[in-house]
Amino acid sequence: MTEDQHSPFAAQRRSGHIESTLYWSLASGKEGTNGGTESSDGLPVSTSDLGMISEAATLLRSGETVAFPTETVYGLGADARNTAAVEAVFAAKGRPSDNPLIVHIARREDLGHLVTEVHPVAEALIDAFWPGPLTLVLPVRPGVLSPLVTAGLDTVGVRMPDHPVALALLRAADCPVAAPSANRSGRPSPTLAAHVLEDLAGYIGGVLDGGAAGVGLESTVVQVQPDGTVAVLRPGGITAEQLAAVTGTEAAAAEPAAGADTPAGASGGGSVPVPPAAVPGGGEAGAAAQAAAGNSPAPRAPGMKYTHYAPRGALGIVRGSSAQRVAETAAGLLQAAQRAGEITGLLLFEEHRALYPADPAACTVSLGSLSSPEEAARFLYAALRRFDEAGATYILAEACPVTGLGAAIMNRLMKAAGESVIDAG
């Protein structure tokens, strides 16, 4: 596998003792294969898979890295207490060292070993959403985790995944597992084991193939402030509306400071910058969000500082007052790009397909219906990888409403596009 020259970060480093990445194809987690079989821990894992999961757990305990499925995306796991193992994660991904990692646990009681306190509002969120796609940033207990996991901060993000394979692996390994997404840094996150192998084969110890991820976007990351307000550090599978239904107050969005690192060439041609979205709620909630973001050079949560999720071609997001205007503007830009010799790509929603001319781009991918954001979330990263497969060099994507799950979808698209937006008027 050749080195990725498009990564904005340091080149990945192969592990000198990994001759080839181990691969386990599991029945658990794949459509129609669970069949109600449970492990000794009561998890719905196929009996035939237990031996393979045990092998992967042994690999984790020995300081190796293992990619595994969760309900969000595939994670690249390492023993969070083992600095050498965590270093291998950063090296394999080419990940900047000031980007903290999320720690995954399988049991509620494991949380007390990692953090010093849990605010009552955080407890309520845990009751409502664990296991599930919610990460809580909490004060870390000194000395229990590798300092690389927290990027030197006094907090750590912790979650309990809602996937039978992930939970079985975590219980078998019996250690806290630091696990960012199992892809090269800056690339679209993996929702299939094939995506992991495409990016990391030969760089990691093993891959557990448990089929397609269900949610398709990373977890929502939140931090509860001393006054009980909730700051959303990264939108994800749990929406702001769901959080508010539990806490009774509107969650506030925390964004990185202006000037966060963006690699050259990440913006699509002809794009214009978009101002940061207004913080929902304003007032005390907005202040809490900014406090959670902090002034430290290291972000409090993954996905806050760097450009992520990007295809190799230049990507721009087209938004406007109507779907018709968006389609007309996008079609014109794509035609001009094609005449200039670009290989074009278009990411649209199914309701708008008829607004475009036939074959508007060399590669046109639908995210499904606007009325089903869950479908768009599930297939977004796979769609971005489709453009790479087609060799697309100039890609446009339609914007979607920033409500519900649409907030997370737009967050990922904006990161992938390096905040590059084209206003269709």
Side-chain angles (χ1 to χ4, degrees):
M1 186 170 63
T2 59
E3 292 291 340
D4 185 355
Q5 299 302 314
H6 299 80
S7 173
F9 307 120
Q12 289 172 266
R13 187 172 74 241
R14 283 182 185 267
S15 175
H17 59 278
I18 295 178
E19 295 181 2
S20 63
T21 294
L22 296 174
Y23 172 78
W24 300 278
S25 181
L26 307 180
S28 306
K30 296 179 181 175
E31 186 175 356
T33 58
N34 278 343
T37 304
E38 293 186 350
S39 71
S40 59
D41 286 315
L43 299 172
V45 174
S46 169
T47 302
S48 63
D49 292 341
L50 293 179
M52 290 182 280
I53 291 173
S54 177
E55 289 176 17
T58 299
L59 211 59
L60 280 176
R61 286 196 302 273
S62 69
E64 295 285 356
T65 53
V66 173
F68 60 95
T70 77
E71 80 282 18
T72 57
V73 298
Y74 273 71
L76 177 58
D79 184 342
R81 305 164 303 182
N82 185 331
T83 292
V86 176
E87 281 179 339
V89 169
F90 282 94
K93 286 176 60 69
R95 183 183 176 96
S97 60
D98 67 347
N99 207 1
L101 304 181
I102 290 171
V103 174
H104 295 63
I105 60 175
R107 305 174 183 88
R108 178 77 170 264
E109 55 267 30
D110 294 338
L111 185 60
H113 301 304
L114 305 178
V115 304
T116 57
E117 61 178 322
V118 182
H119 193 283
V121 171
E123 291 278 10
L125 293 173
I126 289 171
D127 290 340
F129 299 117
W130 276 17
L134 180 70
T135 295
L136 288 118
V137 174
L138 300 163
V140 67
R141 191 174 291 280
V144 298
L145 299 173
S146 164
L148 291 179
V149 170
T150 61
L153 299 172
D154 57 0
T155 56
V156 62
V158 185
R159 91 175 186 99
M160 185 188 297
D162 188 15
H163 192 287
V165 172
L167 290 172
L169 176 66
L170 293 168
R171 292 189 181 193
D174 197 27
C175 66
V177 172
S181 56
N183 58 290
R184 296 184 181 213
S185 278
R187 296 274 291 129
S189 298
T191 53
L192 295 170
H195 298 158
V196 179
L197 292 169
E198 178 185 348
D199 280 8
L200 301 180
Y203 293 83
I204 61 176
V207 180
L208 283 167
D209 185 350
V215 176
L217 296 178
E218 293 84 355
S219 62
T220 301
V221 181
V222 303
Q223 185 171 16
V224 178
Q225 302 304 298
D227 63 358
T229 54
V230 176
V232 178
L233 305 185
R234 181 182 72 187
I238 301 297
T239 67
E241 292 83 355
Q242 289 175 295
L243 295 171
V246 173
T247 65
T249 58
E250 189 173 18
E255 291 293 338
D261 294 28
T262 301
S267 300
S271 63
V272 292
V274 62
V279 175
E284 292 182 2
Q290 295 307 314
N295 296 318
S296 169
R300 287 278 170 186
M304 292 188 70
K305 183 175 180 182
Y306 298 97
T307 294
H308 291 270
Y309 326 117
R312 293 193 172 97
L315 171 65
I317 301 169
V318 186
R319 67 178 182 187
S321 58
S322 69
Q324 183 70 50
R325 283 182 177 272
V326 168
E328 289 174 354
T329 298
L333 290 170
L334 289 167
Q335 288 170 1
Q338 190 169 14
R339 288 194 297 270
E342 302 278 5
I343 301 173
T344 56
L346 173 64
L347 189 62
L348 51 68
F349 290 92
E350 198 58 38
E351 292 94 328
H352 305 155
R353 189 183 287 272
L355 301 176
Y356 290 86
D359 301 320
C363 179
T364 300
V365 181
S366 172
L367 282 179
S369 172
L370 273 171
S371 63
S372 301
E374 296 82 6
E375 184 180 359
R378 190 176 304 120
F379 297 115
L380 175 61
Y381 292 141
L384 294 177
R385 286 177 178 265
R386 282 268 303 276
F387 293 124
D388 288 346
E389 293 167 7
T393 58
Y394 182 91
I395 308 160
L396 296 179
E398 293 184 339
C400 72
V402 235
T403 55
L405 202 50
I409 294 168
M410 281 303 297
N411 170 270
R412 302 313 192 268
L413 277 175
M414 290 289 281
K415 289 285 186 181
E419 309 290 325
S420 174
V421 173
I422 298 160
D423 195 343

